[in-house]
Amino acid sequence: QVQLVESGGGLVQAGGSLRLSCAASGLTFSSYAMGWFRQAPGKEREFVATVSWSGGDTYYTLHADSVKGRFTISKDNAKNTVYLQMNSLKPDDTAVYYCAAKASLGRTSDSTTYAYWGQGTQVTVSS
């Protein structure tokens, strides 16, 4: 049984940092690209970042309020864990953050290409 368990969320002031972790089990972790998505209250789930199966390539959302430059995704295949380092946090980053394992080809931002999902971890950024 595949399990993805996120941790590291919490309440932080604007400008602060958090590091999210997602521990995976029940799958050959080194074979999967891993992604982070987020869902703010009243909004659709949106893509944040993906790291390739090897950890060598990373992709970030290109939305106007991009996280690139503030967030860093990384993967440790020895620990079966994917991370999301979040710096310079803004109130607009407030959301539930989900990690997911990408199981098929297709756009990295397309949530339907991810087969397995964690339960999410809440990140709240106060102004």
Side-chain angles (χ1 to χ4, degrees):
Q1 180 181 0
V2 176
Q3 282 194 316
L4 303 178
V5 180
E6 301 98 334
S7 61
L11 174 63
V12 64
Q13 288 188 332
S17 298
L18 285 173
R19 187 175 84 153
L20 305 183
S21 299
C22 172
S25 60
L27 75 170
T28 306
F29 184 75
S30 58
S31 297
Y32 285 82
M34 297 294 297
W36 286 96
F37 289 75
R38 67 185 181 184
Q39 186 166 20
K43 296 187 177 181
E44 294 185 353
R45 188 173 298 187
E46 65 172 356
F47 169 72
V48 176
T50 290
V51 59
S52 63
W53 62 272
S54 67
D57 296 296
T58 57
Y59 310 89
Y60 297 88
T61 178
L62 298 178
H63 283 179
D65 295 326
S66 178
V67 304
K68 192 171 184 181
R70 300 189 296 122
F71 291 9
T72 302
I73 188 171
S74 62
K75 189 175 188 267
D76 187 336
N77 285 333
K79 296 183 178 180
N80 283 10
T81 302
V82 60
Y83 304 97
L84 186 68
Q85 177 68 44
M86 305 187 295
N87 299 327
S88 302
L89 283 161
K90 306 174 182 179
D92 284 348
D93 295 318
T94 295
V96 177
Y97 283 72
Y98 300 90
C99 73
K102 195 174 190 308
S104 62
L105 297 176
R107 297 177 61 180
T108 56
S109 60
D110 183 353
S111 63
T112 65
T113 65
Y114 293 77
Y116 307 108
W117 293 81
Q119 82 290 349
T121 185
Q122 176 71 47
V123 171
T124 303
V125 184
S126 63
S127 57

